[in-house]
């Protein structure tokens, strides 16, 4: 018999089996801390549930029942009892915390009979019926999918009848009436009575939590964070304790260090006479945790002792939930707290200084992707000084955001998809808003504290968030809000400072970030472990400098095409394309040569002696020509040729599948003059910078889209001839390399042959993914959503390398390439080069470097350091 259900005291810290929450509850039980006891239904039971077409086996059911019996024994309470009923919370708990993404049911166990028992036991009838009506509402919503708002409507109706404004003004009899109406609604919607058997309630709730593992927001969250769906979630069934039993009760959330800044010292908030969800949902604005010292000094002392103990035990900043029931403190959970990147770095560095962890451990403590938060623009200090805040609220998640206001997650996402910078403005956010929050530059909420959903999720995503601005009068239906006497409507600009909480009614200029302080110290530690080199993809001296600023050790890909779009060049480029004879084409190319040389001089100067890989022209030529009739006419005029002539050239260049068309090295096969001009420019520039600055430059000339050795050879001969001529003419010495991209599957398959000629390979995994899957890079986004939704793919293969398929081709090419040419230089320059899981893969298959956009360089550096620590050979 398999064991599917464990009492807290039987479990251990195996997060894969018990989930993060369960493993920590087990550990806290071992530490003898005041934990409401309970049991864990394992993640294996969840995956089993899905394997069995969403049914729970008798074995699991029976084990839940016997664990429940055990819990009754431990608590001295009985499920559904008329004197002292046991109530439980049923919560999800995946391997890693996914705040707010899955479902929770509280107060489970209440029935018409048990509610009387609870009233008797607590001497508080109002409390008992309030708990019951909350439970019916939550159970109906989470387990039976009856929308919450149908219940809220009933509350509003009753309040109107009773002529009161707030829920708290409803008395015990009113709440009894409400329970009656809730149950009637349940009966009407489902054609069955609200379950009066607590065991049935429990089994249904456990299944609902399992199902919530596959709800759309959890799927999106996993995709954003690269978590696979086969992990499943555990379910924690825990005895309820009540923070809403009066003024000696309360509930709160606290961190052992500030999750926004990382500053040491307790940080958090709580509410007197409330249930946990009230704090997290942000409906009431809570008190700072320090006030607990005045309200309940004894409890505060015990609370502080335990939180210090937990931080020392887990050797990391803890995020804890606690409840005080009639003066007695309980810890409901603890976990390593989510934190901003700034805080993550400060905490990692300070924990090393405090002697709690080693440098190596510190390097593993920060998620590479999280650094992204620090690599985005900040407000320009001068512009910020001149701006006047129109409001202030809680600095819930730091950073600077400027953008247009949108009032729903959907509108925000659509606007962001159109390329707008968006500030999502809501009364409060809920987990359904996840995609809108992810798409937004900043989030502004009217309600909610530092631990509200908006704050927690925004910090996790690294999105700037200002929360709890009570001064805002918002009208979500009309999509407007008023602050400081000014009304803002959809599309108006505002700016948010997530570090101060300031709100500005205007656009504010932003500037690029710097790597200093803790960030710098931390990156030095990381680089100490790293063996894989990190280069940047850069097409201009500015990008190149930016890359170096972020620690790039070379350029892995300099795409040359965009250089031709500049105003003074595009006409010459077009003349070259339209040319009928080689002579005419060569003339146009000769006009372009000095400009192209100038580009490379700038790049070499920025990179000094770091290696630079320049790729020959790649896109199909029609991309440089206009398409509308008006533009064609205009160009024909400028070029002094007839409209018909130009139009027929454009039509002649039309391709049905341009992505698989006349591009890459195929262009050089048809028009060798292009490769010749570019090679001449690359070499002339290197010679010039070598002479003027004394830098020992070794240009790497890269031929794109090769699929055959002879094809490579043909273009490489042109390159070498041009290069050697220039070197000979100069009388200087210069070494250079000619290599290829591995972008078509055939190139990977015959890599051993290509390596006979090519001196380096750079994996162009954008095209390699496109051609391996047969998905157009330009169109796949439209249908990949369906693949995620249906669980066929979990992540975008254009963002995270498909290791099983495309990765196998990479591996094969590495092995074959090295077999022919043991010292062949190997790198990756597709978009995947900045994705941490791909960087880890590149380390494992033994590439020499990864190359990514300048802003992702620190992410790749950290991912490479972590790979070296975890998988050192
Ligand atoms: C690639 O295909 O991975 C690549 C880097 O080239 P491009 O994106 O320019 O096609
Ligand atoms: Mg490519």
């Amino acid at each position: 018999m398999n064991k599917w259900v464990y009492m807290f005291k039987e479990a251990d810290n195996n997060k894969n089996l018990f989930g993060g929450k369960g493993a920590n509850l087990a550990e806290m039980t071992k530490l003898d801390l005041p934990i409401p006891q309970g049991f864990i239904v394992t993640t294996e039971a969840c995956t089993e549930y899905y394997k069995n077409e969403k049914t729970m086996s008798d074995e699991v059911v029976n084990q839940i029942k016997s664990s429940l019996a055990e819990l009754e024994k431990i608590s001295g309470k009985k499920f559904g009892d008329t004197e002292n009923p046991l109530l439980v919370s049923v919560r999800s708990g995946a391997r890693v915390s996914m705040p707010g993404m899955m479902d929770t049911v509280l107060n489970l166990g209440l029935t018409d009979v048990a509610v009387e028992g609870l009233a008797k036991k607590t001497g508080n009838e109002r409390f008992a019926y309030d708990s019951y009506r909350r439970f019916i509402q939550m159970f109906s919503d989470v387990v039976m999918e009856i929308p919450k708002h149908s219940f809220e409507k009933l509350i509003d109706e009753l309040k109107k009848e009773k002529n009161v404004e707030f829920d708290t003004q409803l008395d015990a009899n009113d709440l009894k009436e409400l329970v009656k109406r809730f149950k009637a609604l349940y009966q009407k919607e489902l054609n069955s009575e609200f379950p009066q058997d607590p065991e049935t309630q429990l089994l249904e709730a456990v299944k609902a939590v399992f199902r919530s593992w596959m709800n759309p927001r959890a799927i999106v969250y996993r995709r954003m964070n690269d978590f696979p769906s086969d992990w499943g979630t555990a379910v924690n069934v825990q005895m309820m304790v009540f923070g809403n039993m009066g003024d000696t009760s309360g509930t709160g959330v606290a961190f052992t260090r500030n999750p926004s800044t990382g500053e040491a010292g307790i940080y958090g908030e709580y509410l007197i006479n409330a249930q946990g969800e009230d704090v997290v949902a942000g409906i009431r604005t809570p008190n700072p945790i320090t006030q607990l010292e005045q309200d309940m000094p004894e409890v505060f002392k015990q609370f502080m002792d335990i939180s210090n103990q937990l931080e020392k035990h887990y050797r990391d900043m803890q995020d804890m939930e606690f409840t005080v029931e009639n003066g007695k403190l309980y810890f409901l959970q603890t976990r390593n707290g989510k934190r901003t990147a700034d805080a993550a770095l400060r905490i990692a560095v300070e924990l090393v200084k405090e002697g709690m962890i080693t440098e190596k451990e510190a390097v593993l403590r920060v998620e590479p992707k999280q650094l992204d938060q620090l690599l985005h623009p900040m407000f320009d200090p001068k512009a910020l000084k001149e701006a006047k805040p129109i409001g202030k609220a809680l600095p819930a998640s730091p950073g600077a955001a400027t953008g247009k206001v949108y009032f729903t997650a959907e509108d925000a996402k659509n606007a962001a998809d159109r390329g707008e910078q968006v500030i999502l403005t809501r009364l409060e956010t809920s987990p359904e808003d996840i995609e809108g929050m992810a798409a937004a530059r900043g989030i502004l909420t009217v309600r909610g504290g530092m631990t509200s959903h908006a704050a927690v999720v925004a910090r996790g995503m690294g999105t700037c968030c200002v929360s709890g601005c009570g001064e805002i009068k918002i009208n979500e239906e009309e999509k407007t809000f008023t602050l400081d006497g000014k009304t803002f409507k959809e599309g108006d600009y505002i700016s948010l400072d997530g570090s101060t909480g300031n709100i500005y009614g205007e656009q504010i200029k932003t500037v690029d970030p710097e790597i200093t302080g803790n960030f710098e110290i931390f990156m030095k530690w990381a680089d100490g472990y790293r063996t894989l080199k990190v280069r940047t993809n850069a097409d201009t001296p500015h990008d190149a400098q930016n890359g170096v600023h972020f620690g790039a050790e070379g350029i892995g890909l300099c795409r040359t095409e965009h250089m031709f779009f500049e105003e003074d060049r595009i006409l010459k480029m077009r003349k070259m394309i339209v040319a009928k004879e080689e002579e005419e084409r060569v003339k146009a190319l000769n006009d372009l040569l000095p400009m192209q040389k100038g580009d490379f001089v700038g790049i070499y100067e920025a990179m000094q002696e770091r290696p630079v890989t320049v790729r020959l022209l790649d896109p199909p030529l029609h991309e440089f020509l206009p398409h509308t009739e008006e533009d064609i006419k205009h160009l024909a005029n400028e070029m002094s040729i007839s409209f018909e002539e130009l139009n027929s050239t454009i039509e002649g260049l039309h391709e049905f599948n341009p992505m698989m068309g006349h591009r890459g090295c195929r262009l050089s096969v048809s028009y060798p003059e292009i490769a010749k001009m570019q090679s001449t420019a690359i070499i002339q520039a290197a010679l010039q910078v070598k002479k003027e600055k004394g830098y020992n430059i070794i240009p790497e000339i890269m031929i794109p889209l090769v699929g055959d050795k002879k094809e490579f050879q043909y273009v490489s001969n042109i390159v070498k001839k041009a290069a050697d001529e220039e070197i000979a003419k100069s009388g200087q010495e210069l070494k250079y390399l000619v290599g290829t991209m591995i972008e078509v599957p055939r190139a990977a398959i015959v890599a051993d042959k290509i390596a006979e000629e090519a001196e380096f390979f750079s994996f162009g995994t954008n095209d390699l993914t496109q051609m391996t899957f047969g998905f157009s890079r330009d169109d796949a986004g439209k249908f990949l959503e369906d693949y995620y939704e249906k669980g066929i793919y979990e992540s975008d293969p254009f963002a995270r390398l498909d290791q099983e398929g495309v990765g196998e081709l990479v591996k094969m090419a590495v092995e074959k390439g090295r077999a022919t040419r043991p010292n062949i230089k190997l790198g990756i320059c597709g978009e995947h080069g900045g994705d941490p899981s791909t960087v880890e893969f590149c380390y494992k298959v033994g590439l020499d470097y990864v190359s990514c956009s300048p802003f992702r360089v620190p992410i790749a550096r950290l991912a490479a350091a972590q790979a070296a620590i975890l998988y050192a050979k």
Side-chain angles (χ1 to χ4, degrees):
M1 196 181 69
N2 210 332
K3 190 159 168 66
W4 306 101
V5 185
Y6 292 70
M7 299 306 294
F8 290 168
K9 61 176 189 284
E10 295 174 310
D12 57 28
N13 63 358
N14 178 351
K15 290 197 163 123
N16 298 359
L17 185 62
F18 300 117
K21 194 179 290 169
N24 288 350
L25 284 165
E27 192 113 328
M28 288 198 285
T29 302
K30 290 207 169 76
L31 293 172
D32 212 15
L33 298 180
I35 311 300
Q37 282 302 298
F39 55 89
I40 307 160
V41 188
T42 63
T43 55
E44 281 176 0
C46 177
T47 38
E48 190 68 10
Y49 170 79
Y50 280 103
K51 259 192 230 146
N52 295 335
E53 288 165 12
K54 297 197 195 164
T55 50
M56 212 152 67
S57 69
D58 288 348
E59 208 171 80
V60 178
V61 170
N62 289 334
Q63 290 186 22
I64 291 177
K65 286 184 182 170
S66 50
S67 301
L68 188 60
E70 171 82 18
L71 186 60
E72 286 181 329
K73 236 194 266 154
I74 298 175
S75 64
K77 299 182 181 193
K78 264 199 135 22
F79 228 18
D81 196 50
T82 50
E83 295 299 322
N84 191 10
L86 169 65
L87 303 190
V88 294
S89 65
V90 181
R91 295 169 193 255
S92 62
R95 212 182 267 208
V96 289
S97 78
M98 295 168 54
M101 294 304 129
M102 287 180 289
D103 290 331
T104 293
V105 183
L106 301 178
N107 302 329
L108 189 140
L110 278 173
T111 60
D112 293 353
V113 180
V115 71
E116 285 297 324
L118 184 65
K120 238 190 270 168
K121 176 78 189 160
T122 57
N124 189 341
E125 199 178 29
R126 189 190 181 284
F127 157 74
Y129 277 91
D130 189 39
S131 304
Y132 194 21
R133 70 96 193 156
R134 283 174 192 251
F135 169 56
I136 299 174
Q137 192 172 352
M138 218 169 195
F139 185 88
S140 307
D141 168 31
V142 170
V143 182
M144 297 301 177
E145 295 175 22
I146 309 174
K148 243 191 296 194
H149 62 78
S150 346
F151 291 95
E152 257 138 39
K153 222 169 102 201
L154 292 180
I155 303 180
D156 287 341
E157 276 170 19
L158 186 69
K159 281 198 288 196
K160 226 184 239 157
E161 283 168 33
K162 296 283 163 188
N163 211 5
V164 298
E165 199 181 340
F166 301 108
D167 295 8
T168 44
Q169 293 167 296
L170 296 172
D171 65 21
N173 280 333
D174 298 334
L175 291 166
K176 270 188 197 171
E177 174 59 27
L178 200 55
V179 163
K180 222 190 261 167
R181 294 187 190 183
F182 276 14
K183 279 172 36 193
L185 174 66
Y186 185 98
Q187 166 87 41
K188 191 167 140 250
E189 290 284 328
L190 299 175
N191 221 358
S192 70
E193 252 191 60
F194 186 77
Q196 291 298 319
D197 168 25
E199 246 174 37
T200 311
Q201 294 174 352
L202 177 59
L203 295 173
E204 289 306 319
V206 171
K207 283 189 268 184
V209 173
F210 283 164
R211 285 197 300 275
S212 72
W213 175 250
M214 279 299 184
N215 74 29
R217 58 179 197 266
I219 292 174
V220 171
Y221 189 89
R222 284 199 291 274
R223 199 165 77 235
M224 282 182 347
N225 292 285
D226 282 342
F227 303 146
S229 63
D230 60 11
W231 281 357
T233 180
V235 183
N236 300 285
V237 178
Q238 191 174 17
M239 194 180 98
M240 286 289 298
V241 285
F242 295 95
N244 53 345
M245 298 232 323
D247 287 344
T248 54
S249 300
T251 189
V253 178
F255 300 84
T256 53
R257 293 171 195 242
N258 183 319
S260 285
T261 62
E263 189 181 358
I266 196 76
Y267 182 85
E269 47 200 20
Y270 76 106
L271 279 169
I272 289 277
N273 196 12
Q275 278 206 326
E277 298 306 293
D278 300 339
V279 182
V280 181
I283 292 162
R284 279 165 61 189
T285 300
N287 305 319
I289 190 80
T290 40
Q291 199 177 310
L292 187 63
E293 191 167 15
Q294 278 110 57
D295 291 346
M296 302 182 209
E298 281 302 307
V299 170
F300 183 73
K301 188 180 169 307
Q302 191 193 1
F303 168 80
M304 285 305 295
D305 288 347
I306 296 176
S307 30
N308 287 334
Q309 184 185 353
L310 286 171
E311 181 174 284
K312 286 213 177 79
H313 181 77
Y314 287 104
R315 301 187 307 135
D316 201 355
M317 182 265 265
Q318 294 300 294
D319 164 1
M320 304 155 299
E321 278 181 26
F322 67 95
T323 286
V324 184
E325 183 185 271
N326 287 330
K328 176 160 172 38
L329 175 68
Y330 291 95
F331 274 68
L332 305 185
Q333 69 163 326
T334 191
R335 59 188 170 196
N336 294 340
K338 295 231 178 280
R339 60 204 80 177
T340 64
D342 246 337
L345 292 171
R346 178 163 176 182
I347 291 170
V349 170
E350 291 187 356
L351 287 180
V352 172
K353 283 191 194 147
E354 290 165 28
M356 226 189 280
I357 59 174
T358 63
E359 281 180 17
K360 198 187 222 177
E361 284 172 310
V363 170
L364 293 173
R365 284 286 173 90
V366 179
E367 271 289 320
K369 267 195 186 160
Q370 237 200 335
L371 297 181
D372 189 46
Q373 294 170 26
L374 304 172
L375 303 169
H376 285 301
M378 319 272 181
F379 286 131
D380 174 12
K382 232 175 83 201
L384 192 63
K385 235 186 207 159
E386 282 158 21
K388 194 179 155 302
I390 55 166
K392 191 172 171 72
L394 299 172
S397 177
T402 196
K404 293 181 181 176
V405 175
Y406 284 90
F407 291 85
T408 69
E410 197 183 347
D411 290 344
K413 183 169 184 302
N414 291 340
D417 287 347
R418 291 192 298 270
E420 292 179 23
Q421 300 190 351
V422 171
I423 307 277
L424 176 63
T425 306
R426 306 276 290 149
L427 186 61
E428 66 208 7
T429 65
S430 74
E432 280 82 29
D433 294 333
I434 178 104
E435 285 193 280
M437 294 173 77
R441 297 285 171 122
I443 298 159
L444 174 61
T445 70
V446 179
R447 291 181 183 160
M450 293 296 283
T451 51
S452 63
H453 173 264
V456 171
V457 174
R459 277 199 295 274
M461 289 175 173
T463 304
C464 156
C465 175
V466 172
S467 72
C469 182
E471 293 154 35
I472 290 181
K473 297 276 163 293
I474 192 166
N475 187 332
E476 288 188 310
E477 251 154 51
E478 282 178 15
K479 302 186 174 175
T480 61
F481 77 80
T482 308
L483 180 61
D484 200 26
K486 192 175 166 207
T487 299
F488 293 83
K489 51 185 194 325
E490 188 177 271
D492 287 347
Y493 270 103
I494 62 167
S495 297
L496 303 178
D497 188 334
S499 310
T500 59
N502 282 340
I503 305 162
Y504 302 86
E506 63 197 288
Q507 238 180 323
I508 302 178
K509 194 176 157 224
T510 53
V511 290
D512 287 345
E514 295 283 332
I515 299 185
T516 51
N518 290 326
F519 196 0
E520 195 180 6
I521 298 172
F522 179 85
M523 290 311 294
K524 267 204 191 111
W525 291 345
D527 283 342
Y529 294 99
R530 182 165 61 85
T531 53
L532 189 64
K533 297 248 181 262
V534 177
R535 297 194 189 184
T536 189
N537 291 356
D539 307 343
T540 62
H542 177 260
D543 283 355
Q545 256 151 9
N546 231 343
V548 170
H549 177 72
F550 287 128
E553 295 161 296
I555 289 181
L557 174 65
C558 169
R559 293 179 169 101
T560 49
E561 40 272 14
H562 103 264
M563 296 170 171
F564 299 110
F565 280 104
E566 282 175 26
E567 220 179 300
D568 54 340
R569 309 179 184 192
I570 186 73
L571 193 64
K572 294 186 175 69
M573 183 69 181
R574 286 167 168 170
K575 276 189 180 154
M576 188 278 289
I577 295 168
V578 174
K580 289 267 175 304
E581 306 295 333
E582 189 185 322
E583 198 181 322
E584 220 181 313
R585 191 158 38 246
V586 170
K587 187 175 170 309
L589 282 165
N590 281 342
D591 287 345
L592 285 167
L593 176 68
M595 299 171 179
Q596 177 94 104
K597 178 181 161 189
D599 297 329
F600 300 136
V601 167
I603 287 175
Y604 289 138
E605 284 178 351
M607 296 308 288
Q608 305 187 353
E609 295 199 338
R610 298 177 184 87
V612 175
T613 305
V614 181
R615 175 180 76 184
L616 302 183
L617 194 69
D618 184 58
L621 297 181
H622 71 79
E623 282 194 10
F624 298 94
L625 295 175
H627 295 284
T628 65
E629 190 173 321
E630 204 186 326
D631 290 346
I632 298 171
K633 271 189 188 145
H634 180 76
L635 178 62
N637 216 357
E638 249 182 280
M639 294 177 73
S640 316
I641 56 171
S642 72
F643 168 78
E644 288 72 25
E645 187 183 348
L646 182 57
N647 202 29
S648 96
T649 307
I650 293 170
E651 275 174 11
L653 288 169
H654 172 262
E655 291 179 310
F656 285 102
N657 287 315
M659 269 297 176
M660 297 205 286
H662 199 186
R663 53 174 288 226
C665 62
R666 300 161 199 171
L667 286 175
S668 304
V669 170
S670 303
Y671 310 112
E673 313 77 68
I674 302 177
K676 178 169 185 271
M677 181 281 278
Q678 291 199 292
S679 307
T680 306
I682 293 167
I683 298 297
Q684 281 185 355
L687 289 165
Q688 179 178 322
V689 177
K690 187 174 181 184
K691 192 164 171 190
E692 288 175 5
K693 307 266 177 193
Y695 298 149
N696 182 26
I697 295 167
I698 305 176
E700 298 173 357
I701 303 175
M702 181 153 80
I703 303 172
L705 225 69
V706 165
D708 190 276
K709 177 181 151 186
K710 278 205 218 138
E711 188 185 31
F712 177 83
Q713 223 166 5
Y714 178 80
V715 183
S716 142
N717 284 342
I718 296 160
V719 171
K720 285 185 190 156
K721 187 159 177 277
D724 293 344
E725 266 174 32
E726 286 311 312
I727 296 168
K729 257 196 288 184
S730 74
Q732 289 175 255
E733 277 191 12
L734 188 84
K735 229 182 119 206
Y736 66 91
L737 304 174
V738 187
T740 185
M741 295 181 80
I742 303 286
E743 295 179 284
V744 298
R746 193 179 192 284
I749 296 165
V750 301
D752 47 345
K753 303 214 170 59
I754 295 176
E756 288 166 12
E757 296 293 326
E759 293 170 292
F760 63 86
F761 287 169
S762 175
F763 291 93
T765 44
N766 302 332
D767 274 310
L768 193 59
T769 299
Q770 162 169 264
M771 307 218 199
T772 303
F773 278 85
F775 284 168
S776 155
R777 299 160 63 162
D778 298 334
D779 299 315
K782 288 184 213 146
F783 57 80
L784 278 175
E785 281 299 326
D786 298 334
Y787 278 67
Y788 308 141
E789 214 169 275
K790 301 195 171 146
I792 301 172
Y793 294 148
E794 284 175 4
S795 58
D796 179 354
F798 288 101
R800 182 175 204 244
L801 190 78
D802 155 48
Q803 297 182 12
E804 193 184 11
V806 180
E808 271 307 298
L809 285 172
V810 172
K811 233 162 134 182
M812 180 198 293
V814 166
E815 282 159 16
K816 289 189 166 219
R818 285 228 167 99
T820 304
R821 191 187 285 268
N823 63 350
I824 190 166
K825 219 188 227 194
L826 300 169
I828 181 175
C829 64
E831 281 307 297
H832 305 88
D835 164 65
S837 73
T838 310
V839 173
E840 183 185 297
F841 172 82
C842 292
Y843 171 84
K844 287 185 187 160
V845 298
L847 297 196
D848 298 304
Y849 69 86
V850 296
S851 186
C852 56
S853 64
F855 286 99
R856 292 168 88 191
V857 165
I859 298 173
R861 282 163 65 198
L862 178 55
Q866 293 185 347
I869 293 173
L870 295 172
Y871 305 100
K873 285 165 205 145

